[in-house]
Amino acid sequence: MGFFKKSPRRLRLKNKQPSQKNQSQNQMDAGQLNTNLAENLHKIKETLGYSEDIIIREFRIGREHSIKASIIFTDGLVDTIANQEFILESLMKDFPQLDVNTVSLEEFVINIKETTLTVAEIKDISDYNSLYESLFSGHVILLIDGHSVGLAISMKGGKERNVTEPSTENSIRGPREALTENIRVNTALIRRKINNPNLWVESRKIGKQTKTIVSLMYIKGIANEKVIEEVRSRLDKINIDSILDTLYIEELIQDATYSPFPTIYHTERPDVVAANLLEGRIAILVNGTPFVLIVPAVFVQFLHAPDDYYSRADITTLLRILRFIGLLIAMLGPSVYIAITTFHQEMLPTPLLISLAAQRERVPFPAFIEAFMMEVTFEILRESGLRLPKAIGQAVSIVGTLVIGTAAVEAGIVSAAMVIVVSITAISSFIVSSYNLSISIRMLRFPFMGLAASFGFFGITFGLFAVILHLCSLRSFGVPYMSPFAPYIKDDQKDAVFLFPKWAQSTRPRLISQSNIKREETEIPKPDQGNN
């Protein structure tokens, strides 16, 4: 009987309204901000491990300074001078000293937002997750005792790299500005090129730990809506801890995962981004890196240089032909030499054949081993030159190449002709404007050398067919990788290998922009006949 007598009391205790202290604890457990300022500050300090770069400044506002308040910001991410002038001085000196007894606390906070803080961006935050996200994004957090909603005030600042010249995409003529690590600076640089309200920016945060801002830029009405939706879908499916560079995004959204050829173009120049946007492509910007991803990408795009469009069409056409020739030499140079000297000596004139035979008389290795050793040696020198400090990197690579090449020839390890072939091959690889494509060609050079050493020109021909078939099978967000060659599009040949004048390029790439193909028509300038 005693058990049943105590049960109603237990039920009444369970249904009893929680006290203010228990309600505050429940709010904190649920992730919501508390009305008690001291408890909020304690929770923030404890969660952030009492980090020294988190600055907490407590003060009082209101008539007779009866209201406790506090600002929280991250040292190095906030403009401290602006914080002093536009927040602290406004609240502690210039703020009308309202009496909380005559107005409610909600009206008091609204008055702060609407009449006191002279800052462009202010947003409400009601939970700790939003508070931490804003805190590490360069916002100043204002918390007021008795109010469960804080204010995130934009005061982004700190040290940033200035806009400088491009370091990887140099050009003789054209703009001299490069993108930076700040995504908002990058979007501003691009908007300066395209003053159009149809240039849209969509942002999302990717990375469970880093919460990196990733933005899409495209021109509404020119970009293909299906491609835009596909890019959105692939980005939304990313589930990863951190995004520290565009490479993280590139590996997760590219079409061909195991292909040596890049299917996403990247650049650090805002003028290149603007030009691709005007063709109907989509730019993917990542906060914290100066490189922007461009999709869809086609093979011929990686052989175009930024200053192609700042030179005359005939000069650019000649330079592009040289790049295609350099591409073939960089990929097939050593393999052709191996095939001729091993299987097809009859292709050489007799004096040249005798000269090569005399040079190889002292060499103990076959042509394939000879070429393989020289190529590996040169790749090691190139990589060491990149990793060393700039002051000595170039000197070490140049001196090392000269010394090793000369010593190898004198020692009879390699022939002089092989040194010449490897040198021309290395120089030709530098003519490829895209670093990613250049690496792909360097990788394919070694399989072609093996095919040439095994089957001669038959092996090289088989390898070329395999590479061409692989290229034709690739897609970049639904666009054939080898367009406008396969499929062949006549109108798009005006900006492929050959470059036509600006007045002759009246259409955008057909497979890139399918909704607004026609560019603004430009009349062909006629020569002035003069007055007769």
Side-chain angles (χ1 to χ4, degrees):
M1 292 294 295
F3 174 80
F4 290 102
K5 286 182 179 179
K6 292 181 181 180
S7 296
R9 185 173 176 230
R10 288 181 180 177
L11 292 174
R12 285 195 299 269
L13 288 175
K14 290 181 181 180
N15 295 330
K16 188 178 180 180
Q17 294 292 332
S19 63
Q20 184 176 0
K21 182 176 180 181
N22 292 334
Q23 184 177 5
S24 300
Q25 184 65 36
N26 293 335
Q27 288 178 348
M28 295 181 67
D29 294 339
Q32 301 294 320
L33 289 176
N34 196 348
T35 55
N36 190 308
L37 177 62
E39 293 186 7
N40 284 330
L41 295 181
H42 176 73
K43 173 73 173 180
I44 294 170
K45 292 178 182 179
E46 190 177 53
T47 302
L48 300 179
Y50 298 89
S51 302
E52 294 184 357
D53 61 334
I54 306 300
I55 309 301
I56 299 177
R57 170 75 161 84
E58 299 184 51
F59 53 94
R60 290 178 177 270
I61 57 177
R63 182 174 295 178
E64 298 179 357
H65 304 289
S66 58
I67 302 175
K68 295 180 181 180
S70 176
I71 60 170
I72 311 165
F73 61 93
T74 304
D75 190 16
L77 298 181
V78 170
D79 189 342
T80 55
I81 297 178
N83 182 23
Q84 176 74 22
E85 293 179 356
F86 297 109
I87 297 181
L88 286 176
E89 290 187 6
S90 298
L91 291 175
M92 300 178 69
K93 294 182 179 180
D94 304 331
F95 178 54
Q97 303 299 321
L98 298 178
D99 191 356
V100 185
N101 296 325
T102 58
V103 297
S104 64
L105 192 57
E106 287 75 11
E107 295 176 344
F108 186 81
V109 175
I110 293 174
N111 187 273
I112 291 177
K113 293 169 57 177
E114 296 181 350
T115 64
T116 304
L117 296 176
T118 57
V119 181
E121 181 183 350
I122 302 176
K123 61 181 180 180
D124 295 336
I125 51 173
S126 59
D127 58 273
Y128 287 102
N129 290 333
S130 300
L131 186 147
Y132 298 138
E133 185 176 325
S134 301
L135 181 65
F136 299 128
S137 299
H139 289 75
V140 176
I141 309 300
L142 174 63
L143 299 179
I144 298 176
D145 191 26
H147 199 256
S148 61
V149 178
L151 301 179
I153 308 165
S154 179
M155 281 290 168
K156 298 178 181 180
K159 297 294 182 180
E160 295 180 354
R161 185 170 66 91
N162 296 326
V163 178
T164 57
E165 292 189 15
S167 58
T168 60
E169 297 175 274
N170 298 323
S171 62
I172 299 175
R173 184 176 178 180
R176 302 286 179 172
E177 56 187 7
L179 300 172
T180 68
E181 286 74 14
N182 190 320
I183 192 171
R184 287 295 158 254
V185 174
N186 295 340
T187 55
L189 289 173
I190 298 171
R191 283 195 180 276
R192 290 178 184 176
K193 307 290 183 183
I194 306 176
N195 188 4
N196 190 338
N198 291 325
L199 179 59
W200 289 10
V201 180
E202 299 179 7
S203 297
R204 51 186 34 82
K205 293 184 179 180
I206 303 178
K208 293 183 292 185
Q209 303 297 332
T210 59
K211 293 181 174 60
T212 306
I213 300 176
V214 178
S215 297
L216 300 182
M217 288 193 77
Y218 58 91
I219 300 179
K220 184 70 174 179
I222 296 180
N224 191 337
E225 291 293 337
K226 293 182 179 179
V227 178
I228 296 173
E229 188 60 35
E230 181 64 23
V231 175
R232 291 195 192 113
S233 175
R234 296 188 188 186
L235 289 177
D236 292 338
K237 291 179 181 177
I238 295 177
N239 185 13
I240 193 173
D241 275 353
S242 62
I243 299 292
L244 302 178
D245 187 74
T246 52
L247 179 64
Y248 289 65
I249 299 291
E250 181 178 354
E251 288 185 341
L252 294 171
I253 68 173
Q254 64 184 354
D255 291 75
T257 307
Y258 300 105
S259 174
F261 293 95
T263 56
I264 297 178
Y265 187 79
H266 74 267
T267 180
E268 64 169 342
R269 295 178 58 121
D271 58 323
V272 175
V273 178
N276 282 277
L277 291 175
L278 291 170
E279 288 189 344
R281 292 184 170 89
I282 303 168
I284 303 175
L285 296 84
V286 177
N287 192 34
T289 176
F291 291 95
V292 173
L293 301 179
I294 305 292
V295 295
V298 294
F299 177 78
V300 72
Q301 183 180 359
F302 294 91
L303 290 169
H304 295 172
D307 52 354
D308 284 357
Y309 304 94
Y310 305 118
S311 302
R312 286 170 42 187
D314 52 351
I315 298 176
T316 298
T317 299
L318 175 62
L319 295 177
R320 286 185 178 179
I321 293 174
L322 287 176
R323 289 193 200 110
F324 277 91
I325 295 174
L327 176 70
L328 293 176
I329 295 175
M331 184 169 60
L332 303 177
S335 58
V336 170
Y337 176 81
I338 293 171
I340 291 176
T341 56
T342 305
F343 295 98
H344 311 285
Q345 295 91 346
E346 66 277 2
M347 296 180 62
L348 297 176
T350 303
L352 179 58
L353 180 61
I354 294 174
S355 175
L356 292 177
Q359 293 178 25
R360 291 191 48 80
E361 186 178 1
R362 297 176 54 218
V363 178
F365 304 107
F368 172 74
I369 301 298
E370 186 182 0
F372 184 82
M373 290 191 302
M374 290 301 298
E375 287 292 342
V376 171
T377 302
F378 183 80
E379 293 297 332
I380 292 173
L381 288 172
R382 173 152 48 183
E383 286 299 315
S384 62
L386 291 174
R387 304 293 174 252
L388 288 172
K390 292 183 179 180
I392 61 175
Q394 295 181 353
V396 169
S397 60
I398 294 174
V399 173
T401 304
L402 292 174
V403 171
I404 293 177
T406 304
V409 172
E410 292 179 354
I413 299 176
V414 296
S415 62
M418 179 59 73
V419 174
I420 295 174
V421 170
V422 172
S423 301
I424 294 175
T425 303
I427 294 172
S428 298
S429 65
F430 292 121
I431 202 173
V432 180
S433 56
S434 173
Y435 182 70
N436 281 359
L437 183 60
S438 176
I439 294 177
S440 302
I441 298 304
R442 288 158 55 187
M443 292 170 56
L444 291 175
R445 190 184 302 157
F446 293 95
F448 272 104
M449 290 165 52
L451 290 173
S454 302
F455 308 102
F457 275 118
F458 296 102
I460 295 176
T461 305
F462 173 79
L464 285 175
F465 273 112
V467 170
I468 293 173
L469 289 174
H470 173 70
L471 289 173
C472 292
S473 67
L474 294 178
R475 296 288 186 274
S476 178
F477 289 83
V479 176
Y481 191 59
M482 287 302 291
S483 64
F485 306 119
Y488 180 80
I489 303 174
K490 182 179 178 181
D491 291 339
D492 292 354
Q493 302 298 325
K494 299 176 181 179
D495 188 14
V497 178
F498 302 96
L499 179 66
F500 282 45
K502 298 293 186 296
W503 49 262
Q505 300 182 36
S506 59
T507 57
R508 295 184 175 89
R510 290 187 177 273
L511 296 181
I512 303 297
S513 176
Q514 299 180 355
S515 57
N516 188 357
I517 297 178
K518 196 73 173 177
R519 298 180 193 262
E520 184 179 356
E521 296 183 359
T522 305
E523 294 184 358
I524 301 175
K526 298 180 179 179
D528 188 7
Q529 299 296 332
N531 296 326
N532 295 327

